[in-house]
Amino acid sequence: MTSNGPIILPEPTLRRLPWYLAHVEILRSRNIDFVSTTQISRALNVDASQIAKDLSFLNLKGKTRIGYEVDALFHTLSDFLGFKTLHKAYVFGAGSLGKALMHDSGLSNYGLDIIAGFDINPDKVNTSVGNVPIYHIDTLSEVMHANPATIAILTVPVEAAQDTADIAIGEGIRAIWNFTPYRVKVAEGIVMTNTSIYAHLALIYNRLNADL
Amino acid sequence: MTSNGPIILPEPTLRRLPWYLAHVEILRSRNIDFVSTTQISRALNVDASQIAKDLSFLNLKGKTRIGYEVDALFHTLSDFLGFKTLHKAYVFGAGSLGKALMHDSGLSNYGLDIIAGFDINPDKVNTSVGNVPIYHIDTLSEVMHANPATIAILTVPVEAAQDTADIAIGEGIRAIWNFTPYRVKVAEGIVMTNTSIYAHLALIYNRLNADL
């Protein structure tokens, strides 16, 4: 069990906590020692009572008038969010986006350790991107045995998304981070998160367009 | 005015349309000619009447019993979502994530044309990532004049997020795609979209942990 313990946080709280962390990082870089919920509230446009409630999940309580200690808030937040522990992950699909994620070493600052990639293209298999080796998906079972991961990052073509997720879960993967626009279905107990970059692009284009 | 016209779509519709597109792409790869809302509904677990309603924004109507023509649906959806038109974008912050996005040439299949990067680090300025040149942010005005973009992709450190957005908007950028965990504030009329990869990571870690 890691330090954040088995508390299931509501999704909206989990969305807001990284905002607080980002704000506290800025205060730290400015050598500010204390911050109140009122100050965070003003900076982020989130209700102060909501902030206090979110932070109470972390057993953090501010002191009257002084507020929270910035340094403690920074460490507790990043620990609680899981950013201080490395979580092993595989990337499935060493295409353009998959390779980009393998190149993004900054993710390790947020607790993500990409240790292998998988593909079926013979031109890609047995090469590497940065320090990340790419294997054929048929060898998943062996790699999982030798150097197991819990998270599968899905960047395969849409038509391969469901099958790839099924194979990964069959080998013991417990969380899918889905970057494909396909709505992958998983059994209960498997963690499933979608990062819908194409939907975000569509939103940007539509709003830009509507604005003309 | 582009082909999708000035229709402001509801966000939930814009989130679902890429799912339909992904599904239709799979049908196309299987040489399937027609699809009904009932079939899409079963595949994606979205209410059939909701699908019909979403597609009616595109002036698409299925035929009784036969449904929608897969090929027409594919082209209309990707055109409507703006994926067939290239939209010029700059990346601000040529760090790990910024460079990864410049490497991801696949984004151009979704209408995103990254034409330049900006940074302040002398080691990065005047280099390039893939085919994308990196300039000093002080030269933004000139670059904007020579080769203008409408979209700013924000991958700078949190403490620089607001200032960078302000500078970009000051030079004529009309949409911010924010990858930082900082809640950037923009004036009305500026398009603002957040892709919260760190919040998604926190969600994955929390759910994995709670599951132990």
Side-chain angles (χ1 to χ4, degrees):
Chain A
M1 182 147 61
T2 68
S3 53
N4 47 344
I7 307 165
I8 302 192
L9 288 186
E11 270 197 55
T13 297
L14 276 167
R15 206 169 345 160
R16 285 185 298 263
L17 291 177
W19 301 345
Y20 308 156
L21 179 61
H23 183 62
V24 163
E25 264 184 85
I26 295 175
L27 299 179
R28 254 185 122 215
S29 73
R30 291 183 191 153
N31 296 314
I32 293 170
D33 290 333
F34 290 93
V35 64
S36 67
T37 46
T38 317
Q39 287 164 326
I40 303 177
S41 167
R42 226 176 282 137
L44 302 181
N45 209 12
V46 174
D47 201 59
S49 63
Q50 182 66 66
I51 296 169
K53 199 178 158 196
D54 288 339
L55 294 179
S56 70
F57 282 111
L58 288 73
N59 282 321
L60 275 171
K61 282 193 191 98
K63 287 180 200 158
T64 323
R65 283 190 221 189
I66 307 176
Y68 299 87
E69 211 187 315
V70 166
D71 218 55
L73 195 51
F74 173 78
H75 287 293
T76 307
L77 271 169
S78 74
D79 190 27
F80 191 88
L81 288 169
F83 295 162
K84 288 183 148 190
T85 316
L86 281 179
H87 303 77
K88 290 188 177 182
Y90 299 148
V91 168
F92 289 84
S96 182
L97 175 61
K99 284 200 277 189
L101 290 169
M102 291 186 239
H103 271 299
D104 182 6
S105 55
L107 289 169
S108 63
N109 298 328
Y110 291 87
L112 193 73
D113 188 17
I114 299 176
I115 55 173
F118 291 91
D119 209 293
I120 52 166
N121 183 337
D123 292 342
K124 288 174 183 169
V125 170
N126 295 326
T127 65
S128 62
V129 175
N131 297 317
V132 183
I134 298 172
Y135 302 109
H136 195 284
I137 194 161
D138 290 349
T139 65
L140 175 60
S141 180
E142 295 157 49
V143 178
M144 191 74 179
H145 195 77
N147 199 3
T150 42
I151 301 167
I153 302 172
L154 214 58
T155 57
V156 294
V158 282
E159 62 271 20
Q162 186 64 56
D163 285 353
T164 307
D166 291 344
I167 291 167
I169 292 163
E171 293 297 340
I173 286 291
R174 295 179 44 235
I176 304 278
W177 190 9
N178 181 28
F179 281 85
T180 81
Y182 191 75
R183 297 201 80 199
V184 172
K185 292 179 191 113
V186 295
E188 215 176 317
I190 299 295
V191 179
M192 178 77 211
T193 307
N194 296 290
T195 294
S196 312
I197 55 177
Y198 309 112
H200 295 173
L201 280 174
L203 183 70
I204 292 172
Y205 303 154
N206 181 263
R207 295 297 186 258
L208 273 175
N209 233 24
D211 222 44
L212 290 178
Chain B
M1 181 151 61
T2 69
S3 52
N4 49 342
I7 306 165
I8 301 193
L9 287 186
E11 271 199 53
T13 297
L14 276 168
R15 207 167 348 163
R16 285 186 297 263
L17 291 177
W19 301 345
Y20 308 155
L21 179 60
H23 183 64
V24 163
E25 264 184 85
I26 295 176
L27 300 178
R28 254 183 122 215
S29 73
R30 292 183 190 153
N31 296 313
I32 294 170
D33 291 333
F34 290 93
V35 64
S36 67
T37 47
T38 317
Q39 288 165 325
I40 303 177
S41 167
R42 227 176 281 138
L44 302 182
N45 208 12
V46 175
D47 201 60
S49 63
Q50 181 66 66
I51 297 169
K53 199 178 158 196
D54 287 339
L55 293 178
S56 70
F57 282 110
L58 288 71
N59 282 322
L60 275 172
K61 282 194 189 98
K63 285 178 199 159
T64 322
R65 282 190 225 191
I66 306 176
Y68 299 88
E69 211 186 316
V70 166
D71 218 55
L73 195 50
F74 172 79
H75 287 292
T76 309
L77 271 169
S78 74
D79 189 27
F80 191 86
L81 288 170
F83 296 160
K84 287 183 148 187
T85 316
L86 281 180
H87 304 76
K88 290 188 180 182
Y90 300 147
V91 169
F92 289 83
S96 182
L97 175 62
K99 284 200 278 188
L101 290 169
M102 292 186 235
H103 271 300
D104 184 5
S105 56
L107 289 169
S108 64
N109 297 329
Y110 292 87
L112 191 75
D113 188 16
I114 298 175
I115 55 172
F118 290 90
D119 208 293
I120 52 165
N121 183 338
D123 292 342
K124 289 174 181 169
V125 169
N126 295 327
T127 65
S128 62
V129 175
N131 298 318
V132 183
I134 298 171
Y135 303 108
H136 195 287
I137 194 158
D138 289 349
T139 65
L140 175 60
S141 180
E142 295 157 48
V143 178
M144 192 75 180
H145 195 78
N147 199 3
T150 43
I151 300 166
I153 303 172
L154 213 57
T155 57
V156 293
V158 283
E159 62 272 19
Q162 186 64 58
D163 284 352
T164 308
D166 291 344
I167 292 167
I169 293 164
E171 292 297 340
I173 286 291
R174 295 181 41 238
I176 304 278
W177 190 8
N178 180 27
F179 281 85
T180 81
Y182 190 76
R183 299 202 78 199
V184 172
K185 292 179 191 113
V186 296
E188 216 177 317
I190 299 294
V191 180
M192 178 75 211
T193 307
N194 296 292
T195 295
S196 314
I197 54 177
Y198 309 111
H200 295 173
L201 279 175
L203 183 69
I204 292 172
Y205 302 154
N206 181 263
R207 295 297 186 259
L208 274 175
N209 233 22
D211 222 43
L212 289 179

